[in-house]
Amino acid sequence: MNSLILADKLRAKSIAFPCISTGVFLYPNDEAAIVAIRTVKRYLMEDKTSLDEIIFVTFKELDYKLYHNVLNENAN
């Protein structure tokens, strides 16, 4: 959430979040996707923002599919 707050303080128009700690640090990929998306959605619901675009950056196909699925589940 701190990154979103800082982006707004800087009046940024976009921000990108890489899928971190899921490789060498073995943080569960599915949990990382859920936490990242839930945090961003909560911030957007609670605060006015300067951001027009928020990007989730994935490297692995697995992560892309997880983020895609979580975003689609939460869209309904």
Side-chain angles (χ1 to χ4, degrees):
M1 181 117 27
N2 288 339
S3 297
L4 294 164
I5 293 168
L6 180 58
D8 272 330
K9 284 183 181 178
L10 296 172
R11 294 192 172 125
K13 293 297 177 191
S14 66
I15 189 170
F17 292 106
C19 186
I20 57 172
S21 296
T22 58
V24 175
F25 295 105
L26 301 176
Y27 192 81
N29 298 61
D30 55 341
E31 189 175 329
I34 292 167
V35 169
I37 291 167
R38 184 180 296 154
T39 301
V40 167
K41 285 191 170 201
R42 186 173 66 237
Y43 181 79
L44 293 174
M45 288 174 43
E46 294 175 0
D47 297 305
K48 288 188 174 183
T49 183
S50 63
L51 295 165
D52 294 328
E53 182 176 48
I54 298 171
I55 303 163
F56 295 105
V57 181
T58 60
F59 180 72
K60 298 177 187 173
E61 182 75 19
L62 168 68
D63 291 323
Y64 174 81
K65 289 179 180 177
L66 286 169
Y67 275 75
H68 185 268
N69 290 339
V70 173
L71 284 166
N72 282 335
E73 287 173 6
N74 288 307
N76 298 328

